[in-house]
Structures are given as structure tokens and as C-alpha cells.
């Protein structure tokens, strides 16, 4: 089983904020795969299981519902219900203020890079050896205000395209693994006009 965890904050107030792009990527995957409903809430996480064509088979979509800074516990609880190996079968999708809007970056492992949701997951799992997909949201003003703000009108189309591209990258990871997904998506800049 593969596990895809999108990070965000629960509730309508946060639904379209920059900090919730991880939730939006997971929601888009659920829509693409024809999954209906919100799944089940268990141990602080919204869980939705999907069967995908070979070579993927089963996928568990996870959205921790205890706010960003407490994402680790719900993800750890969800992983305990599966046969997934953290190093090989987990991909965490999060926002990144250090990446410009229109860029995404996959990594096999690494530090939290100042992201409190990733920091809590690393603490809860006792390792930073898991794949992550960072979706650029740009940086402006105070970090807290920026991540909890919605995208400006001029940014919305690019944000929607970046979320769709991130979902494409997740699907590539599922089928081909982290190296192939990194090679295909890490140099992409959606903000640049095509040649």
C-alpha cells in the first residue's frame, strides 16, 4: 500500500489558503479517481482508500485534521493501519514559502525546512527518511500571515495549475517511483511561458 498525506488546516476558513495546498492536491486526486464522500475520520485523520491499476494497487489518502502543527499523530496512526513502509511507501505533500508559486519540488528525504507540519511528522515518525512533495506558494510579508492568506486574484490560475501539476507528480511517483518523478517535475516552472 502507498500512503499520500496532504497537509493543511481543517475547516472552511482555511480551505483555500496557501497553507492548504497539500489538502487540495489530495482532494484533486480523490476527484480524479472517482472517490466520493469524505472517507472516514479516524484518530484525527481523514482517510480515503483507493484501488488503482497495477502496478500501484492500494492507495491511502490521508489529511491530518488536527491543524498543521499537529499533523504527525494522525499520520502515524494512519500508517499503523497499513503495511506501508515509511521510507518507500509514504509521500507527504506540503506548501513551501521558499519556492515561488508555479514550482514544485520532490525529495526522497530531508529536513523540515522550517515547515511546522513536516517538523511534527518527523518527530512523530522518528525519521526524516520519507518522500515529500513541496508546492511553492511564494513568500511575502510575515510568514504566518502569508501562509494563512488566500491566493490573490492574479495568482489563482497559476495556483490551480500548480496543484494539478503536483497531483500529476504524485501519480507519477505512484507508478514510477521518486527518482522518475523528481527527474520529470523538479525543473518545471509553470510561471515561465513555454518557448
Amino acid at each position: 500500500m502507498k500512503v499520500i498525506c496532504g497537509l493543511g488546516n481543517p475547516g472552511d476558513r482555511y480551505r483555500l489558503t496557501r497553507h492548504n495546498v497539500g489538502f487540495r492536491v489530495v482532494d484533486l486526486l480523490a476527484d480524479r479517481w472517482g472517490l466520493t464522500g469524505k472517507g472516514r475520520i479516524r484518530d484525527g485523520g481523514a482517510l480515503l482508500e483507493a484501488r488503482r491499476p497495477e502496478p500501484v494497487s492500494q492507495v491511502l489518502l490521508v489529511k491530518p485534521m488536527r491543524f498543521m502543527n499537529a499533523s504527525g499523530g494522525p499520520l502515524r496512526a494512519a500508517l499503523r493501519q497499513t503495511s506501508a513502509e515509511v521510507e518507500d511507501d509514504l509521500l507527504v505533500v506540503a506548501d513551501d514559502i521558499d519556492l515561488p508559486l508555479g514550482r514544485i519540488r520532490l525529495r526522497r528525504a530531508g529536513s523540515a525546512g522550517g515547515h511546522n507540519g513536516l517538523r511534527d511528522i518527523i518527530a512523530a515518525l522518528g525519521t526524516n527518511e520519507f518522500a515529500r512533495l513541496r508546492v511553492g506558494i511564494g513568500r511575502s510579508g510575515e510568514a504566518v500571515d502569508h501562509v494563512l492568506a488566500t491566493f490573490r486574484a492574479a495568482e489563482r490560475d497559476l495556483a490551480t495549475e500548480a496543484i494539478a501539476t503536483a497531483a500529476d507528480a504524485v501519480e507519477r511517483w505512484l507508478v514510477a517511483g521518486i527518482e522518475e518523478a523528481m527527474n520529470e517535475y523538479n525543473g518545471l516552472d509553470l510561471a515561465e511561458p513555454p518557448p
Side-chain angles (χ1 to χ4, degrees):
M1 177 177 273
K2 298 289 188 183
V3 178
I4 300 159
C5 177
L7 300 187
N9 287 312
D12 282 343
R13 174 181 172 198
Y14 300 103
R15 191 169 60 84
L16 296 177
T17 62
R18 295 169 191 269
H19 226 12
N20 272 40
V21 294
F23 273 13
R24 291 176 67 186
V25 170
V26 167
D27 289 343
L28 179 56
L29 290 167
D31 288 346
R32 283 183 181 179
W33 299 345
L35 303 175
T36 56
K38 293 185 178 181
R40 64 192 201 298
I41 303 288
R42 183 170 180 174
D43 297 321
L47 312 176
L48 199 54
E49 290 183 41
R51 291 195 77 61
R52 302 299 301 146
E54 291 297 331
V56 178
S57 192
Q58 284 188 290
V59 179
L60 180 65
L61 299 176
V62 179
K63 295 192 320 187
M65 303 302 281
R66 291 194 180 143
F67 290 93
M68 184 68 76
N69 297 354
S71 297
L75 176 56
R76 184 181 61 222
L79 285 165
R80 279 197 198 122
Q81 307 303 313
T82 73
S83 60
E85 297 290 333
V86 170
E87 288 183 27
D88 299 320
D89 302 323
L90 171 63
L91 178 65
V92 176
V93 184
D95 61 291
D96 189 336
I97 62 172
D98 292 322
L99 272 181
L101 182 61
R103 298 282 304 268
I104 65 172
R105 182 173 296 143
L106 290 127
R107 290 284 182 260
R108 177 182 297 284
S111 72
H115 193 285
N116 290 332
L118 287 171
R119 181 179 294 119
D120 195 63
I121 288 171
I122 290 168
L125 300 183
T127 183
N128 65 0
E129 296 290 321
F130 57 86
R132 70 276 320 269
L133 168 56
R134 294 177 180 259
V135 180
I137 60 168
R139 182 186 284 270
S140 175
E142 286 295 317
V144 172
D145 295 336
H146 182 66
V147 300
L148 294 179
T150 58
F151 292 100
R152 295 188 306 270
E155 298 174 315
R156 287 185 193 134
D157 287 346
L158 183 55
T160 299
E161 186 180 358
I163 288 164
T165 301
D168 295 343
V170 171
E171 292 184 311
R172 185 72 178 144
W173 170 79
L174 283 171
V175 171
I178 189 67
E179 295 296 333
E180 288 290 326
M182 287 168 60
N183 290 339
E184 190 168 336
Y185 289 94
N186 278 358
L188 196 61
D189 188 347
L190 301 171
E192 284 185 2

